[in-house]
Amino acid sequence: MTHKSARARAAKARRLTSPLAAGAAIAAATGLLGMGMSAPAFGAVDKTVDDAVFSWSVNNESTGGAYFGGCNFLAAGEAGDTGMARIWTAKDAGSIYSVDDAGKFTDGNTSIVKTNGELSDFDSRCTDGEGNKVNGKINAEAPNNHTGDHVEIKNGTGTVDPDNDNASIQWEGSWSFAYYGGMTYWTISDPKLEVKNGKGTITGTYSGFGADMDDLSIWKKLDARDGDIVEIQQGEVDVTDSGFEFTPDYLGVETATDGRNLQSPKSSENESWWGAMPQDWIDFNVETGQDSYWYTTAGASTSIQPRKKTNPLTVKYTAQAPAPDVSTSHSVKSASAEDGLTVNVTGDGYDNLPDSSLGKPSAGAYAAIVDRDLASKDVTAGNTTAVQYVMPPQIKDGKIDVDVTAKTVDLDESKDYDVLTWVAHGLPTGDAELYREPIELTDEQKNALFPGDDDADDAADDGATDGAEAGDDGAADAAEGEADDKGAADATEGEADGAESDDNGSADAAEGAEDGASDAAEAGDDGTADAAEGEADGSKAGAAADGSADGSDSDAGGAADGDDSDGGSDGDEDKPAKPVVADQTVGEDRLVKGKTAPNAEVNLAWTPVVEKNADSQIKAFAAKVPSEDNVTVTADAEGNFSAKAPSAKGTYAYSAIATVDGVPSDPAEFTVTVTEDEAADDDAGSEGSSDGGSADAAGSGDDGATDGAEAGSDGGSSASGGASDGSGAAGSSSAGSEGSSTGGSESGSSDGGNLPRTGAELMTLPIAIGLLILGAGSVMFSRMRKR
């Protein structure tokens, strides 16, 4: 963005930026970056899992002493075919059951683990973790009657959502139930857990062999089938970032299967163990010959019956937030000396962002234009060239589309700039920085943004010449568009000529102003800052030229920020216009007012303006104090809306977004000052009117130049007021009062708005323009006479 007239432009930028305007810019940036502190509007994002461990001993019967074959036990993997109902032996290792090189029960992801953490093997299959044998112990109340071995399947993958107790995890692995030492056995493979809001199931594949305890000659391979392995309906799963534990349904469950033995009636004696496994489990085991081992049958507490109820199932893992898949791009939307540089930033995946630099969940994002020489880690609220806060409601399906506009006076032709986006709220450091790429301007865009030296030199020469001519009439500064806070340093030099050239005392001001406009026009319609600052429209440059608080309200279009004086949405036809809300001061009624599309939903968010603190730059981006909040209101049929301001005294940075047919507008930023006094009302407006009127009346006498300067430093409280006062209205003090009153009514209205709201107010605009034209004609005639 280098340009050879950088030094001149930098000097002009410094000249136009008053301390008050700079403070307002910082406050606006601070307020913008503090918006949206309520919970993000994003849905919960599932976290990924790739190391889930499934651990379950099923029940005590499956590892308990048996009537025959020593014990029932668990084996890793899918069991092979023994060809008949018989007890397994050590020689079956590797063919009937899987083992590793050390002879341990393992198969891929699956292992059988004892209570002491050691892996089980064929020799230890019927001993507990302390080495006690369980062979033949069928009394559930007897000590050491089961081993407690459990199946463990590693490397489960899936997703979890701890906030909503949701989980979906798939394991690849199998384990087998060998009952009566292996006389009858079957397998479960590839369990998959699905939990929604704490309820769910585990499904898997059943396979194995059919046998009959009454006819040992029966032996057949069963068809594999899918079914429910676990039901989770009676209890609830509390999903966390590290895992969970629950007891699968059994107690109180009734089965519809008529197996070898019927399910016993529930009684006071057996209710603590009475129940059944899932129906799919039992139906499959009708074919294996084990059906009655999976629901309560006849038997006392000293039988195997209490051992049939399920044991807790544990799932452990490390949940990880999914890697952000964020894509961002930008393009130069417009570049001009008058409107500045506007860059459009679009992105996808902004509903799945990493935590901010504060370690907090994302609350939206920031998009900014920054000096390329400024490292991301050094970016603060005070040194961005321009920034926009993208609130959660503006992020639809993960997409963002936002314009970031830097005013020309805030840019330096000798510097290059980048687009930077990062996670709100915090700073663009570490993973919180999302995107940074250079802004490349074409030669045409550079020339439009920073007009060439020839035009600038011509404008300077003409300005200097006309400035000298205007020295006699007290309007040198007006010719250069520099009617500053101090009033009329050059006007003082021309008081004598001022009185001579205009009997009503205010033609000098009009002449000075129109001189500036005419000279700027003579210099060429090149959009230079001097032309923009000629203030023929008495609006946008008010704040920069005079630094007054009322400057931002001088726009008859009603936009407080001066960027979008029409209250529009930066030309995006797909978006509704941004709300029209001015900076305002409220008192006891605390009503914040604005205007938008009829019946639109308006979200108002606010946060107190916080002073920058070198020790805590983050505070400048997001003020973390209790009084920040947001509220949504509905505009009436005419588009008017209002909401209560915070009760605490202070200045608050506000943002308003209007939503029409589900489409949000760009945010409108403004400030609200809450005072201890009563809310500004008609008296306040009258007071402003009285002040303006008395000043104009005084100025319409013998101090026309001073009056013109005061009209500038007053902020030209409205274009109509400034024009009426500048023209002088034939020297009538009542005309001066009327012009002042118009200005007062706009700058001092109770709701802080600056749009004309009555026919009388609207009529003053063409009248003011006409008077301005007449004044300009008079000035030109006077100048021609002098020449």
Side-chain angles (χ1 to χ4, degrees):
M1 298 177 69
T2 303
H3 203 276
K4 54 187 178 181
S5 59
R7 182 177 301 173
R9 186 68 55 190
K12 187 176 293 294
R14 286 193 297 270
R15 185 178 66 235
L16 292 173
T17 305
S18 69
L20 182 58
I26 294 173
T30 302
L32 173 68
L33 295 166
M35 293 295 102
M37 292 301 293
S38 57
F42 309 137
V45 177
D46 288 345
K47 297 182 179 181
T48 59
V49 168
D50 60 12
D51 61 350
V53 178
F54 174 101
S55 300
W56 192 26
S57 63
V58 185
N59 59 17
N60 294 342
E61 180 61 17
S62 294
T63 64
Y67 291 103
F68 185 79
C71 70
N72 305 325
F73 61 94
L74 305 176
E78 183 177 1
D81 189 355
T82 57
M84 60 181 293
R86 66 170 176 82
I87 296 174
W88 292 1
T89 68
K91 293 181 180 180
D92 292 326
S95 59
I96 304 304
Y97 55 87
S98 297
V99 294
D100 63 11
D101 293 341
K104 304 297 183 181
F105 286 155
T106 63
D107 180 69
N109 292 322
T110 307
S111 300
I112 305 302
V113 184
K114 307 193 78 64
T115 56
N116 62 3
E118 299 292 331
L119 297 185
S120 182
D121 56 21
F122 188 79
D123 292 336
S124 64
R125 71 191 185 285
C126 292
T127 60
D128 62 19
E130 304 299 323
N132 302 305
K133 280 193 172 292
V134 303
N135 293 38
K137 295 181 179 178
I138 57 174
N139 182 347
E141 294 182 344
N144 311 121
N145 65 80
H146 63 280
T147 66
D149 290 0
H150 65 272
V151 58
E152 183 174 281
I153 308 177
K154 297 180 178 180
N155 301 320
T157 60
T159 60
V160 296
D161 174 8
D163 292 337
N164 296 305
D165 287 332
N166 298 336
S168 177
I169 304 176
Q170 174 74 66
W171 287 270
E172 293 183 2
S174 304
W175 81 95
S176 298
F177 298 87
Y179 272 44
Y180 289 104
M183 292 287 289
T184 171
Y185 58 91
W186 58 283
T187 301
I188 291 176
S189 300
D190 303 331
K192 182 177 182 178
L193 177 140
E194 292 284 355
V195 174
K196 186 73 172 178
N197 298 324
K199 307 288 187 180
T201 60
I202 296 178
T203 57
T205 302
Y206 293 101
S207 62
F209 299 86
D212 189 331
M213 66 182 354
D214 296 325
D215 185 355
L216 296 183
S217 67
I218 295 176
W219 187 258
K220 62 179 179 179
K221 183 175 178 60
L222 303 176
D223 293 333
R225 70 199 69 175
D226 295 335
D228 291 343
I229 306 300
V230 166
E231 292 282 356
I232 317 167
Q233 300 301 325
Q234 295 180 343
E236 291 189 356
V237 178
D238 181 14
V239 180
T240 72
D241 283 330
S242 59
F244 48 84
E245 179 180 282
F246 66 93
T247 299
D249 293 356
Y250 180 92
L251 294 176
V253 176
E254 183 176 358
T255 182
T257 298
D258 292 333
R260 178 181 175 84
N261 300 296
L262 297 177
Q263 185 177 27
S264 294
K266 186 176 181 180
S267 66
S268 59
E269 180 183 3
N270 66 16
E271 66 179 353
S272 63
W273 69 77
W274 187 90
M277 297 296 282
Q279 194 63 51
D280 291 344
W281 185 303
I282 295 172
D283 289 345
F284 180 75
N285 275 283
V286 169
E287 298 182 48
T288 68
Q290 294 184 18
D291 57 274
S292 59
Y293 279 88
W294 302 108
Y295 56 85
T296 304
T297 57
S301 62
T302 56
S303 68
I304 67 171
Q305 297 304 315
R307 299 196 309 196
K308 294 180 181 179
K309 67 180 181 181
T310 53
N311 290 332
L313 189 156
T314 300
V315 177
K316 294 182 178 181
Y317 50 74
T318 303
Q320 299 177 344
D325 184 16
V326 179
S327 61
T328 311
S329 61
H330 74 272
S331 61
V332 176
K333 188 171 183 178
S334 64
S336 71
E338 180 180 0
D339 298 326
L341 173 64
T342 297
V343 178
N344 177 249
V345 181
T346 60
D348 202 353
Y350 276 73
D351 55 349
N352 178 27
L353 298 178
D355 289 345
S356 72
S357 64
L358 300 174
K360 303 293 184 181
S362 162
Y366 300 128
I369 295 174
V370 298
D371 184 345
R372 190 170 301 168
D373 293 335
L374 183 65
S376 297
K377 65 181 179 63
D378 296 327
V379 171
T380 69
N383 61 19
T384 56
T385 305
V387 65
Q388 281 289 340
Y389 172 41
V390 186
M391 299 187 196
Q394 296 174 268
I395 302 175
K396 300 295 185 182
D397 298 324
K399 300 181 183 298
I400 66 168
D401 188 340
V402 62
D403 290 341
V404 186
T405 299
K407 297 179 181 179
T408 306
V409 295
D410 294 330
L411 297 168
D412 186 333
E413 297 171 76
S414 65
K415 291 182 177 294
D416 294 315
Y417 294 89
D418 292 344
V419 169
L420 174 66
T421 70
W422 70 96
V423 181
H425 291 291
L427 301 175
T429 58
D431 292 338
E433 180 180 342
L434 303 174
Y435 174 82
R436 182 164 185 168
E437 291 294 334
I439 300 172
E440 301 293 349
L441 296 179
T442 65
D443 290 341
E444 182 180 0
Q445 290 168 337
K446 292 177 183 177
N447 290 332
L449 189 60
F450 304 113
D453 280 346
D454 292 340
D455 290 341
D457 292 342
D458 290 344
D461 293 341
D462 284 350
T465 301
D466 292 328
E469 293 179 6
D472 294 337
D473 60 25
D477 282 339
E480 293 179 8
E482 291 189 13
D484 58 16
D485 301 338
K486 298 178 181 180
D490 291 328
T492 303
E493 301 175 9
E495 286 185 2
D497 283 341
E500 176 183 345
S501 64
D502 194 337
D503 294 335
N504 63 20
S506 40
D508 283 346
E511 179 178 346
E514 287 309 312
D515 263 353
S518 300
D519 295 338
E522 291 175 17
D525 297 329
D526 58 0
T528 64
D530 287 343
E533 292 150 24
E535 292 197 317
D537 62 0
S539 61
K540 191 172 183 180
D546 59 29
S548 71
D550 287 338
S552 61
D553 291 337
S554 64
D555 190 346
D561 57 7
D563 290 329
D564 297 301
S565 60
D566 59 356
S569 59
D570 298 328
D572 191 336
E573 296 179 357
D574 295 332
K575 296 180 181 179
K578 68 173 69 172
V580 177
V581 198
D583 294 348
Q584 49 199 282
T585 297
V586 299
E588 288 183 354
D589 68 353
R590 306 199 333 271
L591 279 183
V592 178
K593 299 181 181 180
K595 193 171 183 67
T596 184
N599 304 314
E601 295 291 328
V602 183
N603 179 264
L604 296 162
W606 64 85
T607 191
V609 174
V610 177
E611 295 293 335
K612 288 201 304 176
N613 183 342
D615 297 327
S616 181
Q617 291 288 359
I618 293 174
K619 285 186 177 181
F621 282 102
K624 296 186 174 299
V625 294
S627 53
E628 60 200 6
D629 205 344
N630 73 85
V631 68
T632 298
V633 298
T634 302
D636 63 19
E638 296 181 352
N640 298 307
F641 65 88
S642 64
K644 284 288 188 179
S647 59
K649 178 182 177 182
T651 299
Y652 297 81
Y654 264 73
S655 178
I657 295 178
T659 300
V660 179
D661 295 331
V663 179
S665 70
D666 288 331
E669 289 85 35
F670 59 101
T671 60
V672 172
T673 301
V674 179
T675 68
E676 293 179 339
D677 301 325
E678 293 184 357
D681 51 20
D682 292 339
D683 291 339
S686 299
E687 180 181 351
S689 172
S690 174
D691 292 343
S694 63
D696 289 340
S700 64
D702 57 0
D703 196 7
T706 303
D707 185 28
E710 289 180 358
S713 62
D714 240 1
S717 54
S718 72
S720 59
S724 298
D725 185 37
S727 64
S732 168
S733 62
S734 62
S737 300
E738 179 183 353
S740 176
S741 176
T742 303
S745 68
E746 292 192 8
S747 64
S749 62
S750 62
D751 62 1
N754 52 10
L755 286 173
R757 284 181 284 277
T758 67
E761 288 175 307
L762 289 171
M763 289 175 61
T764 62
L765 297 178
I767 292 172
I769 294 172
L771 290 174
L772 189 61
I773 293 172
L774 290 174
S778 173
V779 171
M780 292 299 297
F781 179 81
S782 175
R783 291 178 61 187
M784 292 172 61
R785 182 185 62 191
K786 290 180 180 180
R787 287 175 177 154

